[in-house]
Amino acid sequence: MTHMLLTLLQSGYYADSGSQGIHYSAAMIGMYILIIVIGIAGYAVQARLQSVFRKYSKVQFPGGLTGAEVAEKMLRDNHIHNVKVTHVSGHLTDHFNPQTMTVNLSDSVYSSTSVAAAAVAAHECGHAVQHAQGYAPLTLRSQLVPVVQFSSTAATWVIILGLMAMLGIEFNIVTIILSTFIFGIGDDFSIFIMDGLLSEYKTGRRMLDTHKTAIFFSAFTVVVGLGALIFARHPALHSLALISLFGIVAVVLVSYTVQPVLFRMLVSSQTEKGGAPYTLGSLINTLYAFGLFVTGCQLLQALIFTLWPLPMARRRKQRIVQWSIHHMTRGFLRAMVTTKTIRLNDTGETFAEPAVVIANHQSFIDILVLLSICPKAVMVTNGWVWRSPVFGRIVRYLGFYHAADGYERLAPALAQKVAEGYSVIVFPEGTRSADGRIKRFHKGAFYLAAELGLDILPICLYGNGMISSKRQPIYIKHGLVVSRILPRTACGDPADYSAQAKSACRQMRREYRKLYETYNRPCNPYFRDMLIKSYTYKGPVLEWYMRVKIRLEKCYTLFDRIVPREGTVVDLGCGYGPLSYMLAMLSDRRRIVGVDYDAEKIETARHSFLRRPETEFVHADLRTAELPEADAFLLLDVLHYMQPEEQRGLIARCAARLKAGGRIIIRDGDAGKAERHKTTAMTEVWSTKIVGFNKTDGELHFTSTPELQQTARRLGLEIHAAHTDAHTSNTVYILTRPE
């Protein structure tokens, strides 16, 4: 074959197709052969890989360990304790994910005891070891994955356009019209694909395969209809057929590949790991933040370069750079328009005396916050900060220290910095927390304090992990950046660093809980932003309905205030679940159960990146549903969909399952407020009868304050109105069971 190919390329041989006047040169024929050879070679490599795996899948591993056990042992032997071994579906879909710090093993590897499974598991753990050691090519590989995926798709276009050029297909008025027709078909295909992606994202139902099948048959029909013209002798008809074939193939390939890849990269892959999907606004905000950060780092490097030849002591140059970093980080935090910085310094700390500053660690923003607080400090960092291509050179110039060097070796090196008046910043957890929970403190910081004769100065941080989480480090969200400087404590007994670490960890957790209870409120813009993003890409009507509803509800401030912050809360008539999710986000001690009779709404509510194990949604008829025991029942805008006797029955069933001191919170239109009630009734008629956003199988029946008072007295409950709307008859009632 190689000899024939060279002969053709050298000879200039061509075939004449008669009246069509189409010439196939040796280069064209050689290109066809090369494409075929490359395709065959790729298939052969894949087949060989599968064959080898099947062969060694039949050979048992001598130790009898499964792939998962091999992976866990390899991680332990390499002292890697922050990587989990998980199970994923598929065949040979094994991979290491540095974002979630997981080694993902496929069905044929996870529980298999074969040599092949052990080899694959060890291979993927090798990537985890490389990541732990800061292996640069692995980092580059992870960054290039999206580029490679997109490039493979773009290559399809290049090949198709290249083939059209080699075949001599020229654009004229007819082919332009035909191209417009084909591109129109491509738009339809794109709409079908996007509809399937959005349907799967909204409810979890897999509709994409059905849409792809429909697209295939549609494309096949067009190809058969227009492709038959390829056998025509007339050159114009022949070219029409060729451009139709290549055009349809191109639009099918694009709809099958580009859209799903981009959607998964920006939306579904983000939500699968518990993060928010990207939107245009979030992308702009993220690019703005990182643009500011990178620009600041470049200016600092320029400053270092400028100071280098000047005839002054290195210590003075470092002091100038340190002063610049302090003010630049303060300016950066102020320039973040979607975040608000709150600094609490009840002790009046001035950092005039050096100290070992310890803080909880949630995000890379923690570094910026601490440098903005401490005017003169060096930091003990981990590997990724030390080797960062953006700011690694800066921290090395300032004399920051690598934690891998060991605290025993760091103490003598830091003594000179302390003598110059520098504090030492340490994150005792050693790594960032993925969920904000404070992990155990290591004793290195307390060893340094004892060796250097310094006080321990704790700083508690809140909100940084919300703005830029470990799961989504390249995603800047709305929120608050709160820091509280705590009182200094003298270093304790040098013989018992572990006890000091445990005591400091307990103190930090108590202070963090105080900040959590204070700022985990609807006033924090993070929660409104996350709630809206949970309904983004689930249909424009639903998204804008939620935007309006959340604004009208004032981000559910009232209900966060009157609903207990811990215990079981049952949201009856939860709909799409906005209130349920808001209450769950605002307090991790609430267990939320949402119930609704609309199956489609429950399905949508269940499929959200905000859902956590303590949040449950049930499809049931409120008139007959079995209710769990609860600390609070919510009946918001629900009662008027039922008959009066059904309303009283539902309240009675809630009262029977209500714990002592628990509350039944009802919001409904008060029919006794005649004038204002007209607006309320008209709104509900519009929602149910005209728009059809809410479903009802009968007439609406609004209750009144006297009727609810009578029902409460009959059930032995105390009742009072918590809120009355100034424009409508909507009233919020709290029915409380005495303790």
Side-chain angles (χ1 to χ4, degrees):
M1 179 179 291
T2 304
H3 178 73
M4 180 183 69
L5 177 59
L6 292 174
T7 302
L8 290 172
L9 290 173
Q10 295 172 359
S11 65
Y13 171 83
Y14 68 92
D16 190 351
S17 68
S19 61
Q20 296 185 35
I22 300 176
H23 302 279
Y24 299 94
S25 66
M28 292 168 59
I29 297 175
M31 181 61 71
Y32 297 153
I33 296 175
L34 282 174
I35 292 173
I36 295 172
V37 169
I38 292 172
I40 294 174
Y43 178 79
V45 170
Q46 184 70 17
R48 175 61 178 168
L49 177 64
Q50 296 284 352
S51 174
V52 172
F53 185 85
R54 284 195 299 270
K55 176 182 178 181
Y56 288 97
S57 294
K58 301 175 182 177
V59 181
Q60 291 297 307
F61 187 63
L65 300 178
T66 64
E69 292 170 340
V70 170
E72 291 170 352
K73 186 177 187 306
M74 185 171 175
L75 293 173
R76 287 196 307 270
D77 292 346
N78 287 274
H79 308 290
I80 299 174
H81 305 289
N82 62 336
V83 176
K84 295 182 179 180
V85 179
T86 63
H87 185 199
V88 294
S89 59
H91 177 61
L92 292 182
T93 54
D94 313 83
H95 64 282
F96 167 66
N97 190 337
Q99 294 180 331
T100 58
M101 298 300 288
T102 55
V103 172
N104 304 275
L105 302 180
S106 63
D107 297 330
S108 52
V109 173
Y110 187 85
S111 56
S112 174
T113 57
S114 66
V115 170
V120 172
H123 173 83
E124 300 304 333
C125 287
H127 291 312
V129 175
Q130 291 174 331
H131 183 270
Q133 297 176 351
Y135 187 55
L138 178 68
T139 304
L140 181 62
R141 169 183 174 268
S142 301
Q143 294 173 345
L144 289 178
V145 166
V147 179
V148 173
Q149 290 176 329
F150 185 79
S151 299
S152 64
T153 302
T156 304
W157 278 95
V158 174
I159 293 173
I160 292 172
L161 294 175
L163 290 173
M164 292 178 65
M166 289 187 297
L167 292 173
I169 301 175
E170 299 180 357
F171 282 101
N172 51 47
I173 186 63
V174 178
T175 55
I176 290 174
I177 294 173
L178 185 60
S179 299
T180 304
F181 167 71
I182 292 172
F183 289 142
I185 294 176
D187 289 340
D188 291 339
F189 290 173
S190 298
I191 292 172
F192 293 152
I193 290 293
M194 185 57 67
D195 182 68
L197 291 169
L198 292 176
S199 177
E200 183 174 341
Y201 176 72
K202 180 180 180 180
T203 64
R205 295 194 299 265
R206 292 191 59 84
M207 300 292 295
L208 186 58
D209 292 340
T210 304
H211 287 64
K212 284 184 176 180
T213 303
I215 288 173
F216 173 79
F217 283 109
S218 176
F220 180 77
T221 302
V222 176
V223 168
V224 171
L226 295 176
L229 297 177
I230 199 170
F231 300 105
R233 303 291 296 176
H234 196 280
L237 296 178
H238 189 83
S239 64
L240 286 175
L242 286 175
I243 197 171
S244 299
L245 289 173
F246 287 120
I248 291 296
V249 170
V251 297
V252 170
L253 286 175
V254 169
S255 60
Y256 270 40
T257 55
V258 173
Q259 280 184 270
V261 167
L262 290 177
F263 191 87
R264 177 162 183 79
M265 189 187 314
L266 299 176
V267 180
S268 56
S269 66
Q270 305 297 323
T271 58
E272 285 172 2
K273 56 188 179 185
Y278 279 102
T279 62
L280 179 60
S282 65
L283 282 172
I284 293 174
N285 186 47
T286 300
L287 291 174
Y288 167 74
F290 279 94
L292 280 180
F293 178 71
V294 173
T295 301
C297 290
Q298 295 302 314
L299 291 175
L300 288 172
Q301 294 196 46
L303 175 62
I304 293 172
F305 181 78
T306 304
L307 293 173
W308 176 70
L310 298 181
M312 66 175 65
R314 181 179 176 87
R315 288 186 301 177
R316 188 174 179 184
K317 295 177 182 178
Q318 289 177 333
R319 184 70 187 97
I320 294 173
V321 177
Q322 177 74 42
W323 182 89
S324 302
I325 287 179
H326 175 64
H327 289 279
M328 190 170 290
T329 52
R330 291 171 70 95
F332 173 81
L333 294 173
R334 292 193 189 100
M336 294 296 299
V337 295
T338 59
T339 64
K340 181 181 179 182
T341 302
I342 300 174
R343 186 169 295 139
L344 306 174
N345 189 5
D346 302 328
T347 62
E349 179 63 52
T350 62
F351 299 93
E353 294 294 327
V356 174
V357 179
I358 62 173
N360 55 312
H361 200 12
Q362 302 177 349
S363 168
F364 78 91
I365 297 178
D366 301 340
I367 300 173
L368 305 180
V369 172
L370 293 178
L371 291 176
S372 71
I373 294 175
C374 305
K376 197 174 182 180
V378 293
M379 185 175 292
V380 180
T381 68
N382 56 18
W384 76 269
V385 175
W386 188 260
R387 289 182 294 270
S388 170
V390 179
F391 51 83
R393 181 177 297 179
I394 301 171
V395 302
R396 292 193 296 269
Y397 178 82
L398 290 174
F400 286 24
Y401 294 89
H402 197 328
D405 295 337
Y407 285 92
E408 293 81 3
R409 296 175 59 185
L410 287 180
L414 286 168
Q416 180 61 39
K417 286 290 185 181
V418 172
E420 297 173 13
Y422 284 82
S423 295
V424 182
I425 300 174
V426 182
F427 294 106
E429 294 171 273
T431 184
R432 290 171 291 172
S433 170
D435 56 4
R437 301 178 186 274
I438 299 176
K439 300 189 286 288
R440 74 179 185 90
F441 282 5
H442 300 287
K443 59 185 181 182
F446 308 92
Y447 170 82
L448 284 179
E451 290 294 312
L452 299 173
L454 300 177
D455 295 332
I456 296 291
L457 179 54
I459 299 180
C460 189
L461 304 176
Y462 166 88
N464 300 349
M466 299 175 180
I467 294 171
S468 178
S469 65
K470 187 176 182 178
R471 295 188 180 96
Q472 291 182 296
I474 309 179
Y475 194 144
I476 304 301
K477 309 177 186 71
H478 297 66
L480 300 177
V481 176
V482 184
S483 56
R484 170 169 283 168
I485 303 174
L486 304 177
R488 291 176 177 242
T489 58
C491 59
D493 184 5
D496 197 2
Y497 301 121
S498 297
Q500 297 175 47
K502 292 178 181 178
S503 177
C505 185
R506 287 192 297 268
Q507 179 194 19
M508 191 71 74
R509 286 171 177 169
R510 288 195 301 269
E511 294 298 329
Y512 182 81
R513 174 54 62 174
K514 293 178 182 177
L515 293 178
Y516 180 96
E517 294 296 333
T518 303
Y519 295 104
N520 249 52
R521 299 288 181 176
C523 58
N524 189 337
Y526 169 82
F527 300 108
R528 179 182 179 275
D529 186 48
M530 288 297 99
L531 190 59
I532 290 175
K533 281 187 171 63
S534 69
Y535 296 98
T536 305
Y537 303 117
K538 295 185 177 181
V541 175
L542 178 58
E543 179 182 345
W544 283 103
Y545 170 80
M546 288 300 171
R547 287 180 179 272
V548 173
K549 185 176 180 63
I550 293 168
R551 182 178 293 274
L552 292 175
E553 296 281 3
K554 299 180 180 179
C555 216
Y556 299 103
T557 302
L558 170 66
F559 298 104
D560 178 57
R561 181 168 56 85
I562 63 179
V563 174
R565 291 196 55 91
E566 59 180 287
T568 301
V569 179
V570 182
D571 186 4
L572 299 175
C574 64
Y576 292 102
L579 175 59
S580 298
Y581 278 123
M582 177 59 79
L583 294 175
M585 283 193 294
L586 295 175
S587 177
D588 54 8
R589 297 178 178 178
R590 287 172 176 152
R591 175 179 175 259
I592 308 295
V593 180
V595 185
D596 201 277
Y597 68 98
D598 192 327
E600 188 268 338
K601 290 182 178 180
I602 287 294
E603 200 171 34
T604 302
R606 287 172 178 169
H607 206 72
S608 173
F609 68 88
L610 294 177
R611 189 177 179 185
R612 54 187 176 88
E614 295 80 13
T615 306
E616 180 185 1
F617 291 95
V618 180
H619 172 228
D621 190 334
L622 301 185
R623 294 168 294 190
T624 58
E626 183 178 349
L627 303 178
E629 192 177 34
D631 298 274
F633 287 96
L634 305 180
L635 292 87
L636 307 186
D637 307 316
V638 170
L639 290 181
H640 58 264
Y641 290 101
M642 303 178 180
Q643 298 289 333
E645 60 274 12
E646 294 174 338
Q647 297 174 8
R648 292 188 290 270
L650 177 59
I651 297 174
R653 287 163 51 222
C654 292
R657 302 294 292 166
L658 191 64
K659 296 180 181 179
R663 296 177 172 180
I664 302 175
I665 300 171
I666 300 174
R667 182 175 68 186
D668 216 278
D670 185 355
K673 302 174 182 177
E675 289 300 320
R676 283 187 284 175
H677 186 65
K678 293 179 181 178
T679 304
T680 304
M682 181 57 66
T683 302
E684 289 298 324
V685 170
W686 179 270
S687 173
T688 57
K689 305 297 185 181
I690 301 175
V691 179
F693 196 83
N694 293 320
K695 299 178 182 178
T696 179
D697 54 2
E699 297 296 323
L700 302 179
H701 301 275
F702 290 91
T703 186
S704 65
T705 299
E707 291 175 359
L708 287 176
Q709 290 174 339
Q710 183 179 0
T711 301
R713 285 195 299 268
R714 182 170 54 83
L715 297 172
L717 304 175
E718 300 174 357
I719 181 172
H720 72 275
H723 175 76
T724 301
D725 196 294
H727 305 287
T728 68
S729 64
N730 284 334
T731 305
V732 177
Y733 305 92
I734 300 179
L735 285 68
T736 307
R737 177 177 294 283
E739 297 191 16

